[in-house]
Amino acid sequence: LQEGLIYFGNILYAYNGEIPQGTTIEIKDGVTSINEEAFLNQKGLIAIKIPDSVTSIGPYAFSGCTSLNSFSIPENVVSISYSAFENCTSLTNIKIPAKVEYIAGSAFKDCTSLSEITFSGDNNYIDSTAFDNTAWLNNQNDGVIYIGKLLYCYKGEMPSNTTITVKEGTTSIAEICFAECTNLTSITIPKSVTYIGMGAFFMCDNLKTINYKGSKEDW
């Protein structure tokens, strides 16, 4: 195959070969998804132009693109798969469009320079590992961290016998949000919460009281 971008219909399948250092790539209009590992470890890629037709970004699509520092997530993207931008260490800022419904685990993990993240919508379904070891998360104060209406995670060492009251207006609790928080003993959840992610309270061995202010009909 000739080196360069490979398309299968509306899918950007892969880049064949090694991208030269300092390269900017433009994906053609009409592409709706970027395939798994499409640009995996392409360290020469510094910028990419993604058309508005793209709605999904696959697992590891840009993982290891350590020189990538300029791109915008299109407004029509609905999902960002796990590890999609993991270890993109040159990224400094990103805007999450309002239509994004789900950001999977480790999506931006180890993007160590990523200090500014703009969340445009509710973005209710974000895995609590999505931004692990980013400058953005590292700069947050210890304790409960919210992203808009999402309870994203608990950062830092939780004190013994901790009681948490989730703030009113919160609509969802992220996946594995409080996983292994063995010092959590009680939590109060407002009626506004309609979604609790898988494993949100995994191995919370001392959690004795979950006080939900609504009723099962609210779910």
Side-chain angles (χ1 to χ4, degrees):
L1 288 174
Q2 183 176 352
E3 286 196 359
L5 296 174
I6 300 173
Y7 297 95
F8 284 165
N10 293 331
I11 300 172
L12 194 164
Y13 179 70
Y15 186 97
N16 185 42
E18 184 176 343
I19 295 177
Q21 187 62 46
T23 297
T24 296
I25 285 178
E26 183 170 358
I27 298 173
K28 70 179 183 181
D29 288 336
V31 168
T32 57
S33 62
I34 299 174
N35 190 47
E36 179 175 356
E37 300 184 1
F39 296 95
L40 178 66
N41 293 329
Q42 292 285 5
K43 294 176 172 54
L45 180 66
I46 63 170
I48 190 161
K49 298 177 181 178
I50 305 174
D52 288 339
S53 53
V54 169
T55 60
S56 65
I57 300 174
Y60 299 97
F62 296 94
S63 179
C65 292
T66 53
S67 299
L68 180 63
N69 59 42
S70 178
F71 78 98
S72 296
I73 299 174
E75 293 296 325
N76 291 316
V77 166
V78 174
S79 65
I80 301 173
S81 295
Y82 56 87
S83 299
F85 296 95
E86 183 175 356
N87 199 33
C88 289
T89 53
S90 294
L91 279 182
T92 59
N93 63 86
I94 197 69
K95 178 182 177 182
I96 308 296
K99 290 185 180 179
V100 171
E101 294 177 357
Y102 184 65
I103 302 176
S106 301
F108 293 90
K109 182 182 178 181
D110 294 332
C111 293
T112 51
S113 299
L114 183 59
S115 60
E116 183 180 346
I117 305 173
T118 303
F119 300 94
S120 302
D122 289 340
N123 304 127
N124 280 332
Y125 309 109
I126 303 176
D127 188 285
S128 65
T129 65
F131 302 104
D132 274 5
N133 198 31
T134 60
W136 173 82
L137 183 58
N138 292 339
N139 289 336
Q140 302 293 320
N141 294 328
D142 284 357
V144 176
I145 296 174
Y146 293 90
I147 297 174
K149 296 180 180 180
L150 167 76
L151 198 171
Y152 173 63
C153 72
Y154 188 95
K155 181 188 174 188
E157 185 69 27
M158 184 178 287
S160 298
N161 299 317
T162 292
T163 295
I164 289 175
T165 299
V166 179
K167 71 179 181 181
E168 294 290 339
T170 300
T171 57
S172 58
I173 297 174
E175 295 182 5
I176 66 171
C177 179
F178 294 104
E180 300 184 19
C181 287
T182 54
N183 287 331
L184 179 63
T185 58
S186 176
I187 187 166
T188 298
I189 302 173
K191 181 179 179 180
S192 56
V193 171
T194 57
Y195 173 83
I196 297 177
M198 183 172 63
F201 299 101
F202 177 68
M203 290 185 69
C204 290
D205 297 339
N206 295 309
L207 180 59
K208 298 178 175 64
T209 305
I210 299 177
N211 183 17
Y212 176 55
K213 294 295 187 179
S215 64
K216 65 180 181 180
E217 286 76 18
D218 297 319
W219 293 75

